[in-house]
Amino acid sequence: MIDNNFAASKTKYMLVVKFGGTSVGKPERMKKIAELVLGMPGQKIVVLSALSGTTNALVRIGDALLANNHPAAEDEIVALEKHYQNFIQELFESPSYQAIGQEIVSRYFSLFRLLAAGKFDDRGYRELLAQGELISTELFYHHCQERKINARLLPALHFMSIDENHEPELEKIAERLKPILETMTGASMLVTQGYICRNNKNEIDNLKRGGSDYTASLIGAAVRAEEIQIWTDIDGMHNNDPRIVKKTLPIAELTFDEASELAYFGAKILHPSTIVPAQKYNVPVRLKNTMDEKAAGTLISERGSRGQFKAIAAKDGITAVKIKSSRMLLAYGFLRQVFGVFEKYKTPIDMISTSEVAVSVTIDDSKYLAEIVKELNTFGVIDVDKDQTIICIVGNMLAEKEGVLKEVFQALASVPIRMVSYGGSTNNISLLVETSQKEKALNLLNEGLFGL
Ligand code: ADP
Ligand code: ASP
Ligand code: MG
């Protein structure tokens, strides 16, 4: 199911395999993934996250530096350095590789202290955040060297880029990757950094938190890989959020559309945009568990089963904006004007619900909320509700199955629902509830729709 034109010119079987923070977070896990990747067919592009906890630590260091709290930043740097010292001691075996590990750690921590000593701004912050993936890939690469594994480093900052709207430039990424990969055809593993990229000013930037999944999908699409594999600490996409609901089950297969909705609406296992590039070039995405390689995981592709509830996800931090205006009655062009305000402030709308005299929309980016409300005030009375959560119920052909809404509303009989969106696509029902109701709603839906 690969793009035929590309498949015809393709000489190599290529897999893109991404390992998240917990999969590389301990020396023995890093050793295990080298083993795992070695056992896979063809050439592998291995996308690594930072070791678990590192990006959070870098965020804390960056925040402390922005707040001019240098002692707090130094404390964090010292603690992180200790962590890496212990890590390399277990990762490398021979004295010569111990020395290489030592050199790597000293080099990165000198850089952290250099960044901390100078004028620290947003640009320095983003450079700091990028170091987690740079250090993890360098350590992994040298581990492969020590084991005489035929691996090469593939520097993400040489090809991964975003435009002025922070959107990845897939075509340019593919163009830049092609000649680089041609120089590396003999290697069985190409090790690259997830998450990091360059922006339109050529500065170091990133694909937002959890962005290594997105990197894997962008590379998989760019090289038209056979498959993109996301290896993490759970056996695939579950039917509900396992952090909130006790009994959840992995889903064997999802369509691109279903997985995309779940990722966008809060299933943390995937960065919200992960599925987009893979779907564009029809590259299947497989979710696998590093802690249990034999578990089937989840296959995300074009095909999928129909007529059933598949999974539920929830996205917090939502703001609902209601515009009430008698000018809306029998008028045309009103909604265009309203949407124009959100467009002006580059603020995407997730849910919409309309009546004759009012329209409610939800946004998750409230950076320009004050400006938006000020402009909307000219249309009518505006109500703003913060701390809302979108609950997204996904399944195939939900809109064509009988009694779907009845089942959902029956399950949620005791939960106040602020908005409902249904019928916009055939695979999704979205509900807006107060965030304080989320846990209850997810558990009730788990019982009502899945009998769990
Ligand atoms: P990684 O570091 O490998 O990227 P993440 O922590 O980003 O891992 O994602 C995996 C986690 O996502 C799981 O441990 C789980 O707690 C969480 N998660 C949230 N919703 C789901 C879901 N629907 N299915 C599976 N995992 C989910
Ligand atoms: N290290 C980055 C983060 O923690 C990217 C990722 O893990 O996907 O957000
Ligand atoms: Mg993640």
Side-chain angles (χ1 to χ4, degrees):
M1 292 206 282
I2 303 296
D3 176 332
N4 283 332
N5 291 331
F6 191 88
S9 65
K10 198 151 121 154
T11 52
K12 260 194 145 54
Y13 183 94
M14 211 171 223
L15 289 177
V16 177
V17 287
K18 176 259 173 177
F19 294 90
T22 42
S23 305
V24 291
K26 297 218 167 93
E28 69 267 20
R29 296 234 172 96
M30 208 179 240
K31 292 179 189 174
K32 196 180 138 192
I33 63 168
E35 209 66 59
L36 193 68
V37 177
L38 261 183
M40 294 175 180
Q43 192 175 38
K44 283 81 60 177
I45 299 187
V46 182
V47 178
L48 298 187
S49 292
L51 313 192
S52 57
T54 295
T55 310
N56 286 342
L58 295 173
V59 165
R60 289 194 298 273
I61 295 168
D63 287 345
L65 291 174
L66 281 183
N68 256 320
N69 189 348
H70 288 259
E74 181 56 24
D75 286 350
E76 289 283 354
I77 292 174
V78 169
L80 195 62
E81 192 171 18
K82 207 171 260 162
H83 182 70
Y84 276 85
Q85 293 288 3
N86 293 336
F87 194 92
I88 55 166
Q89 263 172 32
E90 276 185 56
L91 182 67
F92 297 113
E93 316 251 313
S94 64
S96 58
Y97 274 90
Q98 282 285 338
I100 288 174
Q102 194 59 57
E103 183 275 320
I104 296 170
V105 174
S106 311
R107 182 156 38 84
Y108 279 91
F109 282 82
S110 301
L111 174 67
F112 296 167
R113 294 196 165 93
L114 189 79
L115 286 171
K119 184 176 152 283
F120 193 77
D121 55 10
D122 186 51
R123 189 175 164 171
Y125 197 133
R126 283 180 276 121
E127 189 176 343
L128 180 66
L129 291 188
Q131 304 309 314
E133 271 67 15
L134 288 165
I135 190 167
S136 69
T137 45
E138 207 172 328
L139 291 173
F140 181 72
Y141 167 72
H142 281 95
H143 167 66
C144 292
Q145 294 284 96
E146 184 171 27
R147 290 176 62 179
K148 310 234 170 336
I149 294 170
N150 187 4
R152 297 280 299 273
L153 265 176
L154 175 63
L157 296 178
H158 291 195
F159 62 87
M160 191 58 76
S161 63
I162 50 175
D163 65 16
E164 66 280 12
N165 295 318
H166 301 275
E167 289 295 329
E169 304 175 306
L170 182 54
E171 308 312 322
K172 287 190 184 163
I173 293 166
E175 269 168 41
R176 291 188 206 106
L177 258 175
K178 202 165 182 275
I180 306 177
L181 294 182
E182 275 165 9
T183 66
M184 299 186 175
T185 49
S188 87
M189 268 184 223
L190 310 179
V191 182
T192 193
Q193 300 82 22
Y195 177 61
I196 66 174
C197 61
R198 287 189 186 276
N199 64 23
N200 63 323
K201 294 183 208 134
N202 237 339
E203 297 163 349
I204 297 180
D205 213 316
N206 61 66
L207 301 174
K208 308 227 169 82
R209 295 303 305 269
S212 300
D213 304 326
Y214 201 13
T215 301
S217 179
L218 287 162
I219 295 178
V223 305
R224 316 289 200 269
E226 255 63 34
E227 192 167 282
I228 297 157
Q229 298 185 352
I230 311 274
W231 288 78
T232 181
D233 59 358
I234 189 165
D235 54 350
M237 178 75 80
H238 278 220
N239 72 303
N240 208 330
D241 192 328
R243 295 165 301 175
I244 295 169
V245 175
K246 259 206 193 99
K247 194 147 192 275
T248 60
L249 294 171
I251 307 162
E253 279 193 63
L254 286 169
T255 63
F256 285 122
D257 285 339
E258 290 165 347
S260 212
E261 304 254 19
L262 290 168
Y264 185 73
F265 286 111
K268 192 196 170 217
I269 186 170
L270 290 176
H271 175 285
S273 309
T274 307
I275 299 302
V276 178
Q279 182 166 22
K280 184 165 179 196
Y281 291 104
N282 199 7
V283 182
V285 178
R286 200 182 287 275
L287 311 182
K288 292 282 288 177
N289 189 354
T290 326
M291 321 296 157
D292 182 9
E293 313 158 29
K294 299 251 154 33
T298 301
L299 178 64
I300 300 163
S301 67
E302 253 183 344
R303 46 175 223 152
S305 50
R306 300 184 154 218
Q308 63 188 64
F309 295 112
K310 293 269 188 73
I312 303 165
K315 185 174 172 184
D316 294 333
I318 304 294
T319 302
V321 181
K322 183 163 83 186
I323 303 111
K324 195 164 176 228
S325 169
S326 50
R327 273 168 57 196
M328 198 176 155
L329 201 64
L330 299 175
Y332 52 83
F334 182 79
L335 286 178
R336 184 181 51 76
Q337 288 176 299
V338 168
F339 294 152
V341 175
F342 290 89
E343 190 181 340
K344 181 174 165 192
Y345 292 100
K346 291 190 178 166
T347 301
I349 292 171
D350 281 330
M351 285 176 72
I352 309 169
S353 120
T354 60
S355 76
E356 272 303 293
V357 289
V359 54
S360 282
V361 303
T362 69
I363 56 173
D364 76 340
D365 177 1
S366 43
K367 191 167 165 200
Y368 297 109
L369 182 62
E371 289 87 341
I372 289 170
V373 170
K374 193 165 169 225
E375 292 205 22
L376 290 176
N377 264 322
T378 59
F379 300 127
V381 180
I382 312 301
D383 275 336
V384 174
D385 287 324
K386 292 190 176 164
D387 300 322
Q388 305 287 307
T389 292
I390 293 178
I391 295 186
C392 171
I393 303 162
V394 158
N396 218 328
M397 300 296 158
L398 284 187
E400 288 170 19
K401 198 180 158 224
E402 284 164 25
V404 167
L405 282 183
K406 187 175 162 204
E407 280 181 71
V408 171
F409 288 135
Q410 232 161 27
L412 292 179
S414 59
V415 176
I417 299 169
R418 165 82 168 73
M419 273 170 77
V420 179
S421 182
Y422 176 61
S425 78
T426 53
N427 66 346
N428 153 307
I429 302 168
S430 301
L431 308 162
L432 189 73
V433 300
E434 273 185 19
T435 303
S436 58
Q437 298 288 326
K438 174 176 86 166
E439 193 177 331
K440 182 177 171 190
L442 289 184
N443 278 287
L444 286 173
L445 286 169
N446 213 44
E447 243 178 85
L449 304 188
F450 298 98
L452 293 171

